Amino acid sequence: MKKELLALGGALLLCGGCKTSQPTTVDPLPREQISRFTSSNRELEHAYEWARGMALSYVHDGEDPVGCWYEAALPLREAFCMRDVSHQSVGAHILGLQRHNKNMMQRFAENISESKDWCTYWEINRHNRPAPADYDNDDEFWYNLNANFDVMFACQKMYDWTADDDYLTGEHLRRFYELSVEEYAARWMLRPDEIMERPRYMNCPENFDPSKNFHTCRGLGSYVENFRDLTVGVDLVAALYAGYNAYARMNETLGRMDEARKYSGVAERYRDLLETRWWDARAERYCSFWTASRQFHVGEGAPLVLWFGATENPDRIRATVKTILDRKWNVENLSSFPMLFYRLGYNREALECLLELPSMPRAEYPEVSYGVVEGVVSGVMGLLPNAREMKVVTLSRLPDAETTATVENVPVFGGYVSLSHIGHSQSVLTNNTGREVTWEARFAGASEFLEVDGVKVTPLLEEDAMGGRFSTLRLKLKQGQTICVKASA
């Protein structure tokens, strides 16, 4: 079949001389064949194998009343909570747990109710009941207000990986999104113009008792649970930004442009609040907590400002990374650092954290292994999909020019892709998604040309928000096609 190289609008399309075919069904692979990673760096390979085995040991395939699920809470609780599922979902997807992710997200969504002031169940157990450790009744339970927006942010990412329209239009999920951005935000005084005025306790039961956790923690304004007098955490503001921005993107994908603009505007108001009220210019850091006495305090929370993409200011990103590196963190936070640091260009720090996590105290906490899986596949290998554009982005972040790595059969768009890197100079992608996809092949640095299956092509030179420079080609891959791209020396 004759190949032609076509430059269209700055994108390079590699065409095979035939019309685009309709998507075809790809037979599911057995779990042991999904996302298998090998590398000449044995330490990296062993970290991934440890994480893969540990993560899969927490999987339950439908034998319980709740359906397919994996553990995403404190070990031995036999449960999954909103925060942990949101943060484990990408790693879980990479391991082929699409059914589990969707089932758990739908379980959260279907239990939102006015009797709980538009909260759902923070933690659900294998019996499909709210976990007793966090719930007595609809008036007395534990709930972190970030959770609804964290779930929305995660569901948008799940759509990007799966192209599953249920994440956009499914009955329970759509209702959950709509209630969260409207009724829930209003009921808990989370709107941008009132969040800084909200009281410490809200929507309290008639028999409110300040000595009862299920009274005082029924609507915590942060994921940080041990700071007295807190009304809002910087992590909550960041989660609100991410949730509204995700909802805007969902509406844009569905062609609902008025709603997309509306909720994108709300998201930007949270970002503006973060940048104007929460940034301490003298200390060069974001404040962490806002209290009932209307004072800012410093503590945890900074990593989630970056995790949720709530700032794009490179100086503030660098300053926030410095504050993260200057203190110690628990494994819940550390589990997200490999992917976070890779995304921001801190490759050395990301690799160090990734390799250390398997041997850290409490490494058995489920979030750790799922974070390592995501850190390798989306961090080291730089593999990120975008369902709206039917695009797969790759970027090698291997530790040196000699290291090689391959990840086979990563679930994407209902099928699979396989990716190999040789150092930073060669990438190979195979498309077995059942449809044509665009491959955005990225290479660090400015290359004079890239070779596509031996043909020299001038790349698009780009720069990210942190000033990193990249050489990029956008290539069309048909179902079953493999393409090799090499960077110039």
Side-chain angles (χ1 to χ4, degrees):
M1 182 178 294
K2 182 180 178 181
K3 296 179 181 177
E4 298 178 356
L5 292 175
L6 304 178
L8 297 177
L12 182 79
L13 309 182
L14 182 62
C15 302
C18 60
K19 295 182 180 179
T20 302
S21 59
Q22 294 296 315
T24 59
T25 301
V26 177
D27 292 335
L29 294 171
R31 189 169 290 163
E32 60 268 18
Q33 294 182 25
I34 294 174
S35 295
R36 300 303 314 212
F37 176 80
T38 56
S39 175
S40 61
N41 185 318
R42 299 307 179 201
E43 193 176 7
L44 181 60
E45 182 178 294
H46 292 159
Y48 181 84
E49 282 304 306
W50 169 87
R52 188 176 189 278
M54 180 69 76
L56 291 176
S57 74
Y58 295 126
V59 175
H60 303 268
D61 291 319
E63 66 274 15
D64 297 312
V66 77
C68 294
W69 68 287
Y70 53 81
E71 294 185 44
L74 289 169
L76 304 181
R77 280 197 180 177
E78 299 183 324
F80 51 93
C81 85
M82 298 176 78
R83 177 196 175 279
D84 291 31
V85 171
S86 297
H87 296 183
Q88 291 175 218
S89 57
V90 172
H93 173 88
I94 289 168
L95 295 176
L97 306 179
Q98 297 95 310
R99 289 184 302 136
H100 304 68
N101 276 333
K102 188 159 78 167
N103 178 57
M104 291 189 291
M105 295 301 189
Q106 288 178 332
R107 294 299 186 189
F108 292 134
E110 68 190 14
N111 284 296
I112 192 171
S113 68
E114 185 170 14
S115 63
K116 297 193 290 292
D117 294 299
W118 304 117
C119 298
T120 178
Y121 296 136
W122 167 251
E123 191 170 355
I124 298 173
N125 65 22
R126 66 184 183 89
H127 303 291
N128 199 25
R129 298 293 303 159
D134 294 305
Y135 177 91
D136 277 345
N137 56 64
D138 280 5
D139 290 324
E140 300 175 307
F141 58 86
W142 188 290
Y143 206 82
N144 301 71
L145 294 174
N146 312 44
N148 288 38
F149 306 101
D150 209 349
V151 165
M152 292 170 66
F153 182 57
C155 284
Q156 168 60 41
K157 288 192 283 188
M158 288 302 94
Y159 174 72
D160 272 336
W161 279 91
T162 64
D164 183 346
D165 287 339
D166 282 350
Y167 281 108
L168 305 181
T169 59
E171 177 185 358
H172 291 303
L173 286 170
R174 188 73 190 177
R175 179 173 176 268
F176 176 82
Y177 305 152
E178 292 170 351
L179 289 170
S180 295
V181 298
E182 295 296 343
E183 281 83 350
Y184 177 80
R187 182 71 60 90
W188 292 97
M189 287 183 64
L190 301 178
R191 299 186 185 280
D193 59 351
E194 61 184 4
I195 188 170
M196 303 298 285
E197 304 304 320
R198 64 188 311 275
R200 181 180 180 185
Y201 303 122
M202 294 188 65
N203 306 312
C204 303
E206 291 184 2
N207 62 340
F208 179 76
D209 182 346
S211 67
K212 289 187 175 181
N213 282 342
F214 282 6
H215 289 188
T216 59
C217 298
R218 186 186 186 273
L220 285 166
S222 173
Y223 278 146
V224 180
E225 301 167 341
N226 58 0
F227 191 88
R228 293 177 58 84
D229 207 32
L230 177 149
T231 63
V232 186
V234 69
D235 57 311
L236 175 57
V237 180
L240 283 156
Y241 166 81
Y244 277 89
N245 190 54
Y247 191 53
R249 287 187 60 197
M250 292 177 190
N251 280 289
E252 186 177 8
T253 301
L254 293 169
R256 300 171 180 171
M257 301 312 296
D258 288 343
E259 289 190 358
R261 283 188 288 269
K262 172 184 175 180
Y263 292 109
S264 178
V266 177
E268 288 305 314
R269 291 178 65 192
Y270 286 112
R271 172 174 277 175
D272 183 66
L273 182 67
L274 183 76
E275 302 290 33
T276 59
R277 295 284 303 272
W278 288 77
W279 177 255
D280 183 338
R282 178 175 297 179
E284 294 189 325
R285 64 188 175 195
Y286 290 100
C287 298
S288 305
F289 311 120
W290 179 246
T291 65
S293 58
R294 302 298 182 256
Q295 292 181 322
F296 281 116
H297 293 269
V298 173
E300 296 184 42
L304 287 174
V305 174
L306 304 183
W307 178 259
F308 288 124
T311 182
E312 291 182 340
N313 184 309
D315 292 333
R316 295 184 180 185
I317 291 172
R318 281 187 282 269
T320 304
V321 171
K322 184 178 184 303
T323 67
I324 293 172
L325 295 173
D326 284 346
R327 63 172 296 170
K328 293 185 178 181
W329 300 90
N330 60 26
V331 292
E332 290 90 336
N333 282 287
L334 287 167
S335 65
S336 69
F337 287 0
M339 185 61 225
L340 178 63
F341 288 154
Y342 276 125
R343 179 167 60 81
L344 298 174
Y346 289 80
N347 295 356
R348 178 178 59 80
E349 292 82 356
L351 181 63
E352 288 176 358
C353 185
L354 192 154
L355 296 179
E356 290 172 1
L357 275 167
S359 59
M360 284 185 174
R362 296 181 62 234
E364 71 280 2
Y365 192 88
E367 203 170 346
V368 176
S369 53
Y370 288 85
V372 170
V373 169
E374 182 180 6
V376 171
V377 175
S378 289
V380 176
M381 303 298 285
L383 175 60
L384 287 171
N386 181 321
R388 185 176 175 216
E389 300 180 32
M390 208 49 60
K391 176 177 74 174
V392 176
V393 180
T394 67
L395 171 65
S396 172
R397 300 187 181 98
L398 290 170
D400 53 57
E402 289 73 39
T403 300
T404 63
T406 296
V407 60
E408 297 180 293
N409 302 322
V410 180
V412 172
F413 307 150
Y416 305 93
V417 299
S418 296
L419 173 67
S420 296
H421 295 307
I422 297 178
H424 312 125
S425 62
Q426 180 173 312
S427 298
V428 179
L429 187 72
T430 299
N431 172 26
N432 284 316
T433 64
R435 64 183 83 201
E436 183 177 85
V437 301
T438 297
W439 177 22
E440 186 171 302
R442 306 183 81 193
F443 295 84
S447 295
E448 181 181 355
F449 61 84
L450 299 175
E451 288 189 15
V452 182
D453 287 344
V455 179
K456 291 184 177 181
V457 183
T458 302
L460 181 68
L461 301 182
E462 299 178 309
E463 188 172 301
D464 65 16
M466 298 301 292
R469 301 189 71 191
F470 302 93
S471 304
T472 302
L473 291 180
R474 296 183 179 92
L475 312 166
K476 290 290 186 181
L477 272 73
K478 297 187 182 302
Q479 160 59 19
Q481 189 172 10
T482 297
I483 293 180
C484 174
V485 181
K486 296 180 182 181
S488 59

